[in-house]
Amino acid sequence: MRSQERRELYGAWAERWPSDAADLLDGYSGAWWIGGSWAVDIALGSDRQHGDLDIVIPRSELSLLRGWLGGKWQLWCAFQGALKPLLPHDSDVLPLGTTSIWLRHSAYGQWEYEVLLDPSDSESWRFRRDTAVTMPLEDALVTVNGIRFAKPQIVLAYAAAEKADVAWLDAALPALDDEARAWLADRLTDDHPWRERLAS
């Protein structure tokens, strides 16, 4: 679903920056980092505004995050194109296919953050599309101004299965060294349109 279609169906998103996420989670004891196109742009040295901000946490630490947020936020499960509220008394057993949690203060406000639930833990990163692909978490992240971001090849590996947009890859290529390109190529199918660009 495209961003405009999602906005018309579910409502608008507030403008949020990585520094806003850092303020929200200042003092939080769990692992978290920024993913999505923000992470690619940070690697490229760009600070353009985005339509939303993706915070990534280990799925196993959802209870910890819920405790940190307290009752100040509404949490909604995003799964299979639908949304369902995660109420304070609900357990952490989420609807099948839940990949993220959307945060807002109330129905009268905008969505503010999307929290992606990752199979990683505080020490090891695991690829959600193939959990046999792992690396030390610190090798999967880069820290900029005290905030951790997924490395661009991580973000692109997820995007590759959803949008094989060669122009988007071309824009991101300056952020990838030879090792990152090779790692990303290993995540692609043999006929993927990005392979030729990564090899050039």
Side-chain angles (χ1 to χ4, degrees):
M1 182 181 296
R2 292 175 300 189
S3 297
Q4 183 60 32
E5 292 174 338
R6 188 168 73 163
R7 185 179 301 111
E8 291 175 356
L9 185 61
Y10 295 119
W13 286 80
E15 291 187 353
R16 288 292 175 262
W17 298 74
S19 57
D20 295 317
D23 290 341
L24 174 70
L25 298 172
D26 184 24
Y28 173 64
S29 61
W32 68 275
W33 57 95
I34 302 295
S37 54
W38 263 112
V40 174
D41 276 3
I42 287 294
L44 291 168
S46 170
D47 61 355
R48 69 182 178 90
Q49 179 59 51
H50 292 254
D52 58 6
L53 179 73
D54 297 335
I55 300 172
V56 188
I57 68 165
R59 179 181 287 267
S60 61
E61 294 184 357
L62 177 58
S63 290
L64 186 64
L65 179 68
R66 292 179 72 183
W68 172 259
L69 296 174
K72 300 176 182 178
W73 294 84
Q74 287 186 355
L75 283 69
W76 289 71
C77 304
F79 63 104
Q80 300 176 3
L83 288 174
K84 179 181 184 296
L86 182 59
L87 300 175
H89 60 271
D90 289 344
S91 72
D92 287 338
V93 178
L94 305 179
L96 184 66
T98 298
T99 55
S100 65
I101 303 293
W102 292 13
L103 303 183
R104 66 182 181 184
H105 284 294
S106 77
Y108 303 103
Q110 296 177 316
W111 299 105
E112 299 202 35
Y113 301 98
E114 183 170 8
V115 180
L116 305 181
L117 303 175
D118 203 77
S120 304
D121 57 38
S122 59
E123 296 183 357
S124 299
W125 176 81
R126 292 180 179 84
F127 190 30
R128 190 167 62 246
R129 301 194 186 283
D130 180 0
T131 55
V133 177
T134 68
M135 68 176 73
L137 184 61
E138 292 305 316
D139 290 347
L141 308 178
V142 60
T143 301
V144 179
N145 296 327
I147 301 173
R148 298 198 299 179
F149 295 84
K151 287 186 175 177
Q153 61 267 35
I154 300 290
V155 176
L156 290 165
Y158 285 118
E162 300 169 358
K163 53 177 184 180
D165 185 339
V166 174
W168 196 66
L169 174 67
D170 285 346
L173 280 178
L176 304 179
D177 59 19
D178 290 344
E179 182 179 356
R181 290 186 185 208
W183 183 91
L184 177 57
D186 285 343
R187 310 282 79 77
L188 304 178
T189 58
D190 290 341
D191 61 346
H192 198 285
W194 286 6
R195 276 193 169 277
E196 183 178 349
R197 290 289 200 283
L198 289 169
S200 62

